[in-house]
Amino acid sequence: MTKRPTIADVARRAGVSKGSVSFALNGRPGLAQSTVDKILAAADELGWRPSNRARSLSVSKAFALGLVITRDPAVLSSDPFFPAFIAGVESVLSTRGQALVLQVVTAGESEEDGYRRLAQDARVDGVFLSDLRHDDPRIGLLVELGLPAVTLNRPDGDSPFPAVTLDDRPGTVAVVEHLVGLGHTRIAQVAGPPAFVHATARSTAFTDTLAAAGLEPVAVETGDFTAAGGIEATRRLLALPEPPTAIFYANDRMAIAGLGAAQAAGLNVPDDLSIAGFDDSELAEYVHPGLTTVRADPFRFGEAAARTLNRVVDGDTDVPDVELPPAELVVRRSTAAPPL
Amino acid sequence: MTKRPTIADVARRAGVSKGSVSFALNGRPGLAQSTVDKILAAADELGWRPSNRARSLSVSKAFALGLVITRDPAVLSSDPFFPAFIAGVESVLSTRGQALVLQVVTAGESEEDGYRRLAQDARVDGVFLSDLRHDDPRIGLLVELGLPAVTLNRPDGDSPFPAVTLDDRPGTVAVVEHLVGLGHTRIAQVAGPPAFVHATARSTAFTDTLAAAGLEPVAVETGDFTAAGGIEATRRLLALPEPPTAIFYANDRMAIAGLGAAQAAGLNVPDDLSIAGFDDSELAEYVHPGLTTVRADPFRFGEAAARTLNRVVDGDTDVPDVELPPAELVVRRSTAAPPL
DNA sequence: TTGTACGCGTTATCAG
DNA sequence: CTGATAACGCGTACAA
C-alpha cells in the first residue's frame, strides 16, 4: 500500500546512480563487485521490484504472451484441450514473470481482429496460433503485423514460425488397427470440419490405415466438433442401409454424444456398435461404457509451446520445431467385436 | 511495421503542442472546437493510436483485468463455467480496449500467490473472485494488496467488494420439487466440497426444500466436482441398504459420471433411478438419457461481472450488487417416477 | 560510474 | 478562454 520503491530510491540508498543500479540488477559487467553487493542489498532491504510498466515502455516489450481462441462459448465450454494447454503455458510463464493475455473471439467478430487488437495495443510479445486451417490467413497476418508466433502443429503452407507438433496420426492408426483387429469391416468416421489441418490429418490417417487393411470407410461424415454435430452425424450413419459396426469420432465430445444417440436408438454399445473418440477428456473414462479414445497431453503441449514462443520472442533465430510424444490409444469398453 | 506515430507526430502535423493533442483526444474542455477538429483530423490521417504502455506508465493503470483460476488442469478441463464466463467478460473488455489476464494456478502453488503476483506486477486493475470459500482469505488479501475486485456470488463474511450474484437456490428448489412431484421419497444428494460457499448454498437449499416436503435426505455424499468423485459418491449411495431412487448432483460432471456408474451397475435410468445435475453443460442434453439439470447463464455472468468490476476500477464508490436471473430447471429424460 | 536522454502520454502550471 | 511548456512516471542505454 505504501508506494513501491523506485530504482531511484535504491540508488539513493546505495549511494550510487540509477544507471549503476540498473546494471547491477541485470547482472551486467562493468561494476565493481562491492558496488554490486551494496546495490543488491539496498534493493533487497527496500523490497524493490522492477516496474513492468516502466520496463515495458523503455524496452518496448509487454512481458506477456497472447492466446486467441475462436469458438462460440457453448462449444468452447466443453473443449478439453485449452484449459490444460493454458495451464501448461502458465507453468512456464509464471517462472519468467510473464502474463498470459487471453482473447475469446465469439461469433460475429473476426478472429483476425483479435490478433490485430493484440498487436496494435502492443499487449503481447507473441501469440500462440491454434486450430490451424488450410492456407491459414493468420500466418500472413501475423507476419504483416510483425507479431512473433508459434504454431500448434505444422501449417500446410509456408510459415516463418516454429511449430510445436503432436502427431495425431499414430493414435488414429492405432484406433483403426484396434477396430480392424476386433474384426470390424464396416467402419465409419465422423470427421472434423475439413478446413482444419488437424481434422484432415486425422481423417486422412483414418482412410489410409483402413486402405492398408484392404478396407474402405462405410462413410465419412463431417461433424463440427460439437455434441449436437456428433448426434446429427451419428443419426445419418445409423440410417444407412448398411450401417457401420464401428464409428470413429474426431473428438470425444462428438463421440459421447454419438454414444448417447446410439443408445437412444436402442443400440447396445459395444455389442451392436463400437465407438471410439479422440482426446481422452475427463468424462471419457466415466461414461457408460467407458470410451475408447486417443490421449494426447495438452499440458505438455502448452509448456513446449510457451518455451518455444519465448525463444522466438527473445530474438532467437531459427528456433527448431518441437515434436511431442504422439497421442496414444486408450482402450476402454466402448469397442468390442462386431455383431455376428 | 513502420513505427507507429506518437502523440508528438500528431501535434506537429496539427501544428499544436502535445498537451493540446492529449486534451483533444480525451475530450477535455479548454480547447477551441476548431483546434479539436484539426487535431482529430491529424490523428486520424496518421492512424494514431495511443500507446497503452505510455498510458499505463503515466496514469498508473494496466487497462487489464485479471482472473485467477485454481484448479488442476484435469478438473478445469471439463468445467463448463469458465469458458463461457470468460467469453462474457471479453465481450465487455473488448469494447473498452482492455485485456484479460488469465492465471491458472495449479496444485503446488497457492492461489494467494497468484493474486499477489498480479498485484505486485501491477498487471491488472482489478480481479474477479470466483469459487468463494467460507471466510475466504482472499478477500482480506485483496484489501491488503489494494486490488479492486468483484466477487462472483456473495461471500459469507464482510466484503468491501460488490458482488454479482446468480442465485442457485431456486433451481435447486425446483429440482427437488420436481423429484418430489414425481413421487420420490428416497432422494440423495452428491454435494460439492463444503468449503465452497456455492456448494453449501445448494446443499442447504436441497435439504430445506426436502424438509418442507416432509422428507429427509437418504444421504448426502460429498463429491469434489470431478467425474471421478461423482463415481465414488454414486457407488457409495447405491451400496446403501436402502438406496435412493433419485440422486441430485451438485454439477453435471458428477451427474454424468454418476449416470455412467448407475448404468454400469445394471440400473436403468430413469426407471430404476432418477438423476439430476447442475449446470446444463453441453453434454447434458446429449448423453442418454438426457440429463435433467439446472441452467444458469455464465456468459451473462461474465458480462455483469466485468461491468461491475470496471465501475469499481473507475473509482465509482458504492457500486451496487448485481443480481442475475436465477438458474432454472431443465427437465429431460433422466428423471421419472420412482420404481414401484 | 555517473549523468542524462529516451520511450510516450498525461497533467499541472503558466503565458497570451 | 486558449494553448504552450515542462514535469512526471520508471527503467534502460549510451555518451561522457
Side-chain angles (χ1 to χ4, degrees), chain A residues 33-46:
Chain A
Q33 187 56 45
S34 61
T35 314
V36 172
D37 292 343
K38 204 167 47 180
I39 293 171
L40 260 36
D44 206 52
E45 285 160 27
L46 291 171

Side-chain angles (χ1 to χ4, degrees), chain A residues 81 84-86 88-89 91-92 128-129 150-154 162-171 278 294-309 320-328:
Chain A
F81 179 80
F85 175 82
I86 289 171
V89 168
S91 72
V92 172
F128 299 96
L129 212 49
V150 61
T151 58
L152 309 193
N153 285 322
R154 203 169 281 117
V164 176
T165 66
L166 192 161
D167 197 347
D168 285 344
R169 287 170 308 186
F278 204 109
V294 176
R295 176 189 297 157
D297 190 340
F299 187 91
R300 286 249 180 90
F301 208 148
E303 285 183 317
R307 266 198 281 269
T308 304
L309 181 50
D321 289 357
V322 174
E323 172 119 22
L324 298 168
E328 56 187 36

Side-chain angles (χ1 to χ4, degrees), chain A residues 175 251-252 275-281 284 291-295 328-332 334:
Chain A
V175 168
N251 73 350
D252 278 4
I275 282 184
F278 204 109
D279 278 342
D280 195 27
S281 59
L291 187 67
T292 291
T293 185
V294 176
R295 176 189 297 157
E328 56 187 36
L329 176 66
V330 179
V331 176
R332 297 206 180 91
S334 67

